[in-house]
Amino acid sequence: MTSPGRTERLVLPGVLTAEQAARTVAGILATQRTDGAIPWFRGHHLDPWDHTEAAMALDAAGEHERAEAAYDWLARHQNPDGSWYAAYADGDAGEPTDRGRETNFCAYLAVGVWHHFLSTGDETFLDRMWPAVHAATEYVLALQQPGGEIGWKREDDGTPVNDALLTGSSSIYQALRCALALAEQREEPQPDWELAAGRLGHAIRSHPERFLDKSRYSMDWYYPILGGAVRGAQARERIDADWEQFVVPGLGVRCVLPNPWVTGGESAELALALWAMGESERAVQILKWMQHLRAEDGMYWTGYVFDDDAIWPEERTSWTAGSLLLAVAALGGDEATTTVFGGEHLPTGLDPDCCR
Protein backbone atom coordinates (compact mmCIF):
# COMPACT_ATOMS: atom_id res chain seq x y z
CA MET A 1 0.00 0.00 0.00
CA THR A 2 1.39 3.40 -0.99
CA SER A 3 -0.04 6.91 -0.86
CA PRO A 4 0.42 8.84 -4.14
CA GLY A 5 1.47 12.41 -3.52
CA ARG A 6 2.92 11.76 -0.06
CA THR A 7 6.47 12.14 -1.32
CA GLU A 8 5.82 15.80 -2.13
CA ARG A 9 5.95 16.34 1.63
CA LEU A 10 9.62 15.38 1.43
CA VAL A 11 10.56 18.30 -0.82
CA LEU A 12 12.05 21.28 0.98
CA PRO A 13 13.79 24.10 -0.92
CA GLY A 14 17.48 24.22 -0.16
CA VAL A 15 17.33 20.81 1.52
CA LEU A 16 15.73 18.18 -0.72
CA THR A 17 14.42 18.14 -4.26
CA ALA A 18 11.95 15.48 -5.35
CA GLU A 19 14.74 13.52 -7.01
CA GLN A 20 16.98 13.77 -3.96
CA ALA A 21 14.18 12.69 -1.64
CA ALA A 22 13.48 9.67 -3.83
CA ARG A 23 17.15 8.65 -3.73
CA THR A 24 17.22 8.87 0.06
CA VAL A 25 14.09 6.76 0.39
CA ALA A 26 15.58 4.25 -2.05
CA GLY A 27 18.71 4.10 0.10
CA ILE A 28 16.72 3.11 3.19
CA LEU A 29 14.77 0.54 1.17
CA ALA A 30 18.03 -0.95 -0.10
CA THR A 31 19.23 -1.31 3.51
CA GLN A 32 16.09 -3.16 4.61
CA ARG A 33 16.29 -6.95 4.62
CA THR A 34 13.62 -9.11 3.00
CA ASP A 35 12.33 -10.07 6.47
CA GLY A 36 11.66 -6.39 7.29
CA ALA A 37 14.71 -5.69 9.47
CA ILE A 38 16.44 -2.32 8.94
CA PRO A 39 20.03 -2.39 10.24
CA TRP A 40 22.16 0.73 10.42
CA PHE A 41 23.63 -0.38 7.12
CA ARG A 42 24.07 -3.82 5.64
CA GLY A 43 26.67 -5.76 7.61
CA HIS A 44 26.24 -3.62 10.73
CA HIS A 45 23.82 -4.13 13.61
CA LEU A 46 20.14 -3.32 14.06
CA ASP A 47 18.84 -1.68 17.21
CA PRO A 48 15.08 -1.44 17.76
CA TRP A 49 14.97 2.36 18.20
CA ASP A 50 16.80 3.23 14.98
CA HIS A 51 14.97 0.46 13.12
CA THR A 52 11.70 2.15 14.12
CA GLU A 53 12.92 5.60 13.13
CA ALA A 54 13.81 4.34 9.67
CA ALA A 55 10.39 2.66 9.38
CA MET A 56 8.68 5.93 10.27
CA ALA A 57 10.60 7.65 7.48
CA LEU A 58 9.32 5.01 5.06
CA ASP A 59 5.76 5.77 6.11
CA ALA A 60 6.40 9.49 5.60
CA ALA A 61 7.50 8.58 2.06
CA GLY A 62 4.37 6.54 1.39
CA GLU A 63 6.20 3.20 1.57
CA HIS A 64 3.61 1.74 3.94
CA GLU A 65 4.06 -1.92 3.10
CA ARG A 66 7.78 -1.74 3.79
CA ALA A 67 7.19 0.14 7.04
CA GLU A 68 4.64 -2.46 8.10
CA ALA A 69 7.18 -5.20 7.41
CA ALA A 70 9.58 -3.46 9.80
CA TYR A 71 7.00 -3.40 12.59
CA ASP A 72 6.06 -7.00 11.95
CA TRP A 73 9.74 -7.90 12.40
CA LEU A 74 9.61 -6.41 15.89
CA ALA A 75 6.37 -8.19 16.76
CA ARG A 76 7.77 -11.54 15.64
CA HIS A 77 10.99 -11.21 17.61
CA GLN A 78 9.81 -9.65 20.89
CA ASN A 79 11.19 -11.36 23.97
CA PRO A 80 8.72 -13.03 26.36
CA ASP A 81 9.11 -10.17 28.86
CA GLY A 82 8.06 -7.57 26.26
CA SER A 83 11.56 -6.36 25.45
CA TRP A 84 14.03 -6.58 22.58
CA TYR A 85 17.78 -6.91 22.76
CA ALA A 86 19.81 -3.77 22.19
CA ALA A 87 21.52 -5.01 19.02
CA TYR A 88 21.24 -7.75 16.40
CA ALA A 89 23.97 -8.54 13.87
CA ASP A 90 22.82 -7.21 10.47
CA GLY A 91 19.23 -7.47 11.71
CA ASP A 92 19.44 -11.22 12.24
CA ALA A 93 17.09 -11.97 15.14
CA GLY A 94 19.02 -15.16 15.85
CA GLU A 95 22.26 -13.25 16.45
CA PRO A 96 21.87 -10.65 19.19
CA THR A 97 25.20 -8.91 19.78
CA ASP A 98 24.12 -6.88 22.85
CA ARG A 99 21.74 -8.75 25.12
CA GLY A 100 20.97 -5.77 27.31
CA ARG A 101 17.34 -4.66 27.05
CA GLU A 102 17.18 -0.88 26.98
CA THR A 103 13.94 0.76 28.01
CA ASN A 104 13.86 3.58 25.49
CA PHE A 105 14.58 1.12 22.67
CA CYS A 106 11.62 -0.99 23.74
CA ALA A 107 9.20 1.88 24.32
CA TYR A 108 9.70 3.41 20.88
CA LEU A 109 7.57 0.81 19.11
CA ALA A 110 4.51 2.74 20.32
CA VAL A 111 5.67 5.86 18.47
CA GLY A 112 6.15 3.94 15.24
CA VAL A 113 2.85 2.06 15.49
CA TRP A 114 0.89 5.25 16.19
CA HIS A 115 2.65 6.99 13.28
CA HIS A 116 1.84 4.08 10.95
CA PHE A 117 -1.80 4.02 12.04
CA LEU A 118 -2.10 7.78 11.46
CA SER A 119 -0.46 7.32 8.05
CA THR A 120 -2.72 4.47 6.92
CA GLY A 121 -5.81 4.28 9.11
CA ASP A 122 -5.24 0.52 9.20
CA GLU A 123 -7.21 -0.79 12.18
CA THR A 124 -6.18 -4.37 11.42
CA PHE A 125 -2.53 -3.40 11.78
CA LEU A 126 -3.27 -1.63 15.06
CA ASP A 127 -5.08 -4.69 16.42
CA ARG A 128 -2.19 -6.94 15.41
CA MET A 129 0.47 -4.72 16.98
CA TRP A 130 -1.36 -3.80 20.18
CA PRO A 131 -0.19 -6.86 22.17
CA ALA A 132 3.44 -6.04 21.35
CA VAL A 133 2.97 -2.36 22.30
CA HIS A 134 1.22 -3.31 25.53
CA ALA A 135 3.89 -5.82 26.55
CA ALA A 136 6.73 -3.41 25.70
CA THR A 137 5.13 -0.57 27.67
CA GLU A 138 4.64 -2.80 30.71
CA TYR A 139 8.28 -3.91 30.47
CA VAL A 140 9.44 -0.30 30.43
CA LEU A 141 7.24 0.92 33.28
CA ALA A 142 8.43 -1.90 35.53
CA LEU A 143 11.71 0.08 35.63
CA GLN A 144 10.15 3.41 36.60
CA GLN A 145 11.81 4.79 39.72
CA PRO A 146 10.12 6.48 42.71
CA GLY A 147 11.04 9.91 41.30
CA GLY A 148 9.31 9.23 37.98
CA GLU A 149 12.43 8.66 35.87
CA ILE A 150 12.87 5.37 33.98
CA GLY A 151 15.82 3.05 34.64
CA TRP A 152 18.10 2.58 31.69
CA LYS A 153 17.88 -1.17 31.04
CA ARG A 154 18.01 -4.73 32.29
CA GLU A 155 21.13 -6.78 31.83
CA ASP A 156 20.88 -10.16 30.12
CA ASP A 157 20.46 -11.92 33.47
CA GLY A 158 17.55 -9.64 34.38
CA THR A 159 19.48 -7.33 36.72
CA PRO A 160 17.93 -3.84 36.51
CA VAL A 161 20.11 -0.81 35.84
CA ASN A 162 18.10 1.82 37.67
CA ASP A 163 20.23 4.81 36.68
CA ALA A 164 18.18 6.98 34.34
CA LEU A 165 19.21 8.78 31.15
CA LEU A 166 17.54 12.10 30.35
CA THR A 167 17.55 11.45 26.59
CA GLY A 168 16.17 7.96 27.01
CA SER A 169 13.48 9.03 29.48
CA SER A 170 12.46 11.92 27.20
CA SER A 171 12.03 9.47 24.33
CA ILE A 172 10.00 7.20 26.62
CA TYR A 173 7.76 10.14 27.52
CA GLN A 174 6.86 10.53 23.85
CA ALA A 175 6.35 6.78 23.55
CA LEU A 176 4.02 6.70 26.55
CA ARG A 177 1.84 9.41 25.04
CA CYS A 178 1.68 7.47 21.79
CA ALA A 179 0.86 4.26 23.68
CA LEU A 180 -1.94 6.11 25.45
CA ALA A 181 -3.23 7.40 22.12
CA LEU A 182 -3.28 3.83 20.83
CA ALA A 183 -5.11 2.67 23.95
CA GLU A 184 -7.67 5.44 23.53
CA GLN A 185 -8.16 4.48 19.88
CA ARG A 186 -8.86 0.93 21.02
CA GLU A 187 -11.09 2.13 23.89
CA GLU A 188 -8.87 0.35 26.40
CA PRO A 189 -8.01 2.97 29.04
CA GLN A 190 -4.66 2.58 30.80
CA PRO A 191 -4.83 4.79 33.91
CA ASP A 192 -1.55 3.42 35.29
CA TRP A 193 0.21 4.53 32.12
CA GLU A 194 -1.32 8.00 32.45
CA LEU A 195 -0.01 8.29 35.98
CA ALA A 196 3.41 7.03 34.93
CA ALA A 197 3.61 9.55 32.07
CA GLY A 198 2.66 12.40 34.39
CA ARG A 199 5.36 11.44 36.88
CA LEU A 200 7.95 11.05 34.13
CA GLY A 201 7.14 14.39 32.52
CA HIS A 202 7.45 16.17 35.85
CA ALA A 203 10.83 14.56 36.51
CA ILE A 204 12.12 15.63 33.10
CA ARG A 205 10.94 19.23 33.51
CA SER A 206 11.78 19.81 37.14
CA HIS A 207 14.32 17.32 38.47
CA PRO A 208 17.53 17.08 36.43
CA GLU A 209 19.27 15.60 39.49
CA ARG A 210 17.31 12.38 38.97
CA PHE A 211 19.21 11.63 35.76
CA LEU A 212 22.84 10.79 35.07
CA ASP A 213 24.81 13.88 34.05
CA LYS A 214 25.25 13.59 30.30
CA SER A 215 25.06 17.32 29.64
CA ARG A 216 28.09 17.10 27.35
CA TYR A 217 25.84 15.39 24.82
CA SER A 218 23.61 17.52 22.62
CA MET A 219 20.80 14.96 22.85
CA ASP A 220 20.35 15.77 26.54
CA TRP A 221 19.98 19.41 25.48
CA TYR A 222 17.18 19.04 22.92
CA TYR A 223 15.52 15.69 23.68
CA PRO A 224 13.25 16.96 26.49
CA ILE A 225 11.76 19.20 23.78
CA LEU A 226 11.74 16.60 21.03
CA GLY A 227 10.01 14.11 23.34
CA GLY A 228 7.34 16.67 24.22
CA ALA A 229 7.95 17.07 27.94
CA VAL A 230 9.30 20.62 27.62
CA ARG A 231 7.63 23.25 25.46
CA GLY A 232 6.86 26.98 25.46
CA ALA A 233 9.09 29.45 27.25
CA GLN A 234 11.02 26.70 29.03
CA ALA A 235 11.92 25.15 25.67
CA ARG A 236 13.08 28.44 24.21
CA GLU A 237 15.21 29.17 27.25
CA ARG A 238 16.73 25.71 27.10
CA ILE A 239 17.64 25.98 23.42
CA ASP A 240 19.01 29.51 23.66
CA ALA A 241 21.12 28.71 26.73
CA ASP A 242 23.32 26.18 24.93
CA TRP A 243 22.92 27.10 21.25
CA GLU A 244 26.44 28.48 20.86
CA GLN A 245 27.96 25.43 22.56
CA PHE A 246 26.34 22.82 20.35
CA VAL A 247 25.55 24.50 17.02
CA VAL A 248 28.37 25.02 14.52
CA PRO A 249 27.19 27.53 11.89
CA GLY A 250 27.37 26.16 8.38
CA LEU A 251 27.94 22.56 9.54
CA GLY A 252 25.26 21.41 11.98
CA VAL A 253 25.18 20.16 15.56
CA ARG A 254 27.94 18.73 17.72
CA CYS A 255 27.30 15.30 19.15
CA VAL A 256 29.36 15.82 22.31
CA LEU A 257 31.38 18.65 23.84
CA PRO A 258 34.10 19.65 23.30
CA ASN A 259 34.72 17.35 20.31
CA PRO A 260 34.91 19.11 16.91
CA TRP A 261 32.43 16.63 15.44
CA VAL A 262 29.03 17.43 13.95
CA THR A 263 26.59 14.62 13.23
CA GLY A 264 23.67 14.29 10.86
CA GLY A 265 21.33 12.52 13.25
CA GLU A 266 21.68 15.12 15.98
CA SER A 267 21.33 17.93 13.42
CA ALA A 268 18.10 16.53 11.98
CA GLU A 269 16.66 15.78 15.41
CA LEU A 270 17.43 19.28 16.63
CA ALA A 271 15.66 20.60 13.53
CA LEU A 272 12.62 18.48 14.41
CA ALA A 273 12.71 19.78 18.00
CA LEU A 274 12.94 23.37 16.73
CA TRP A 275 9.94 22.78 14.46
CA ALA A 276 7.99 21.33 17.41
CA MET A 277 8.58 24.50 19.43
CA GLY A 278 7.57 26.77 16.54
CA GLU A 279 11.06 27.67 15.29
CA SER A 280 10.68 26.50 11.68
CA GLU A 281 13.13 29.01 10.19
CA ARG A 282 15.94 27.85 12.44
CA ALA A 283 14.96 24.24 11.75
CA VAL A 284 15.28 24.72 7.99
CA GLN A 285 18.64 26.43 8.45
CA ILE A 286 20.02 23.46 10.40
CA LEU A 287 18.82 21.05 7.70
CA LYS A 288 20.44 23.16 4.99
CA TRP A 289 23.73 23.16 6.90
CA MET A 290 23.78 19.36 7.29
CA GLN A 291 23.59 18.76 3.52
CA HIS A 292 27.39 18.63 3.38
CA LEU A 293 26.95 15.14 4.85
CA ARG A 294 24.88 13.94 1.90
CA ALA A 295 26.52 11.19 -0.18
CA GLU A 296 26.06 10.52 -3.88
CA ASP A 297 23.72 7.61 -3.19
CA GLY A 298 21.29 9.87 -1.30
CA MET A 299 22.25 8.58 2.13
CA TYR A 300 24.02 10.65 4.80
CA TRP A 301 27.38 10.22 6.47
CA THR A 302 27.09 9.87 10.22
CA GLY A 303 29.43 12.75 11.03
CA TYR A 304 32.20 15.16 10.12
CA VAL A 305 35.30 16.13 12.14
CA PHE A 306 35.74 19.75 11.16
CA ASP A 307 39.19 20.27 12.71
CA ASP A 308 40.54 17.51 10.46
CA ASP A 309 38.19 18.04 7.49
CA ALA A 310 37.33 14.36 7.73
CA ILE A 311 34.19 12.27 7.34
CA TRP A 312 34.01 10.03 10.42
CA PRO A 313 32.99 7.33 10.86
CA GLU A 314 32.86 6.26 7.23
CA GLU A 315 29.32 4.94 7.38
CA ARG A 316 25.97 6.01 5.95
CA THR A 317 23.24 4.98 8.34
CA SER A 318 19.56 4.33 7.73
CA TRP A 319 18.65 6.24 10.88
CA THR A 320 20.53 9.39 9.83
CA ALA A 321 18.61 9.39 6.56
CA GLY A 322 15.42 8.57 8.44
CA SER A 323 15.79 11.46 10.89
CA LEU A 324 16.35 13.87 8.00
CA LEU A 325 13.23 12.66 6.18
CA LEU A 326 11.10 12.93 9.33
CA ALA A 327 12.25 16.51 9.95
CA VAL A 328 11.46 17.42 6.34
CA ALA A 329 8.08 15.68 6.59
CA ALA A 330 7.17 17.69 9.69
CA LEU A 331 8.21 20.95 8.06
CA GLY A 332 6.21 19.96 4.96
CA GLY A 333 3.07 19.36 6.98
CA ASP A 334 2.78 15.58 6.76
CA GLU A 335 -0.19 14.97 9.05
CA ALA A 336 0.98 11.77 10.72
CA THR A 337 4.45 13.17 11.42
CA THR A 338 3.20 16.52 12.71
CA THR A 339 0.70 14.76 14.98
CA VAL A 340 3.31 12.43 16.48
CA PHE A 341 5.98 15.08 17.04
CA GLY A 342 3.76 18.15 17.54
CA GLY A 343 2.32 16.96 20.83
CA GLU A 344 -0.08 19.86 21.28
CA HIS A 345 -2.74 17.60 22.84
CA LEU A 346 -2.06 14.91 25.39
CA PRO A 347 -4.48 11.97 25.60
CA THR A 348 -7.65 12.69 27.57
CA GLY A 349 -7.19 12.62 31.33
CA LEU A 350 -3.39 12.87 31.40
CA ASP A 351 -2.17 15.44 33.91
CA PRO A 352 1.48 16.20 33.10
CA ASP A 353 2.03 18.01 36.39
CA CYS A 354 0.71 15.37 38.75
CA CYS A 355 2.63 13.62 41.49
CA ARG A 356 5.15 16.28 42.37
Side-chain angles (χ1 to χ4, degrees):
M1 175 170 50
T2 58
S3 298
R6 286 285 299 277
T7 52
E8 71 185 26
R9 299 291 194 188
L10 300 179
V11 175
L12 187 62
V15 178
L16 285 182
T17 65
E19 181 180 359
Q20 288 172 330
R23 285 180 65 82
T24 302
V25 173
I28 297 175
L29 291 172
T31 303
Q32 188 175 30
R33 291 164 42 120
T34 57
D35 64 357
I38 309 176
W40 285 21
F41 51 89
R42 293 311 304 270
H44 199 56
H45 74 250
L46 172 153
D47 74 70
W49 198 102
D50 289 311
H51 166 92
T52 298
E53 185 173 45
M56 292 170 66
L58 293 180
D59 265 327
E63 294 287 348
H64 303 312
E65 289 184 357
R66 299 292 287 272
E68 185 172 340
Y71 297 123
D72 284 340
W73 186 94
L74 287 170
R76 288 196 308 273
H77 302 301
Q78 189 172 31
N79 293 322
D81 65 357
S83 71
W84 290 271
Y85 295 122
Y88 300 84
D90 196 32
D92 185 343
E95 292 192 36
T97 54
D98 181 345
R99 299 179 73 92
R101 289 162 283 159
E102 299 187 20
T103 48
N104 70 298
F105 283 11
C106 299
Y108 208 59
L109 173 67
V111 181
V113 169
W114 182 232
H115 185 259
H116 184 80
F117 175 73
L118 292 171
S119 298
T120 65
D122 188 346
E123 292 275 1
T124 301
F125 168 81
L126 192 157
D127 291 343
R128 189 170 75 249
M129 295 301 300
W130 174 246
V133 171
H134 190 279
T137 303
E138 290 289 308
Y139 168 80
V140 169
L141 291 182
L143 281 169
Q144 187 163 37
Q145 304 303 302
E149 69 276 21
I150 307 291
W152 174 24
K153 65 177 180 177
R154 288 189 186 274
E155 302 287 7
D156 186 32
D157 64 1
T159 301
V161 179
N162 293 326
D163 292 333
L165 302 174
L166 180 59
T167 293
S169 285
S170 297
S171 177
I172 292 168
Y173 181 76
Q174 181 189 26
L176 284 176
R177 290 186 298 136
C178 290
L180 284 163
L182 290 164
E184 186 173 306
Q185 180 68 32
R186 290 179 52 82
E187 299 183 351
E188 295 188 26
Q190 303 291 327
D192 289 346
W193 296 3
E194 293 181 9
L195 180 61
R199 294 170 59 212
L200 176 58
H202 178 70
I204 292 168
R205 284 186 294 276
S206 303
H207 291 282
E209 75 280 0
R210 294 177 184 170
F211 302 91
L212 294 176
D213 183 5
K214 301 288 183 180
S215 56
R216 296 173 55 230
Y217 292 84
S218 60
M219 287 194 296
D220 264 26
W221 169 50
Y222 65 75
Y223 244 92
I225 301 163
L226 182 59
V230 174
R231 291 290 165 83
Q234 186 180 3
R236 290 189 294 274
E237 291 170 4
R238 187 179 188 91
I239 289 298
D240 290 345
D242 287 329
W243 182 270
E244 292 186 1
Q245 286 197 90
F246 287 115
V247 176
V248 182
L251 295 179
V253 179
R254 292 178 191 258
C255 176
V256 57
L257 298 174
N259 298 358
W261 182 45
V262 294
T263 50
E266 277 77 359
S267 297
E269 287 181 342
L270 173 62
L272 192 51
L274 290 167
W275 167 83
M277 56 185 277
E279 296 276 357
S280 292
E281 289 187 9
R282 283 207 283 185
V284 172
Q285 186 64 73
I286 293 289
L287 295 180
K288 287 180 178 178
W289 287 345
M290 72 167 280
Q291 294 312 303
H292 70 99
L293 295 172
R294 185 177 177 87
E296 291 184 3
D297 63 357
M299 299 295 277
Y300 287 77
W301 298 104
T302 295
Y304 172 72
V305 182
F306 48 86
D307 276 4
D308 298 331
D309 188 25
I311 293 291
W312 184 84
E314 293 190 10
E315 60 183 33
R316 301 183 301 281
T317 51
S318 57
W319 50 267
T320 300
S323 64
L324 179 279
L325 292 177
L326 287 172
V328 170
L331 285 158
D334 175 68
E335 185 175 357
T337 306
T338 58
T339 299
V340 167
F341 288 99
E344 291 86 358
H345 302 289
L346 295 174
T348 302
L350 176 59
D351 178 4
D353 291 316
C354 73
C355 305
R356 299 185 179 186

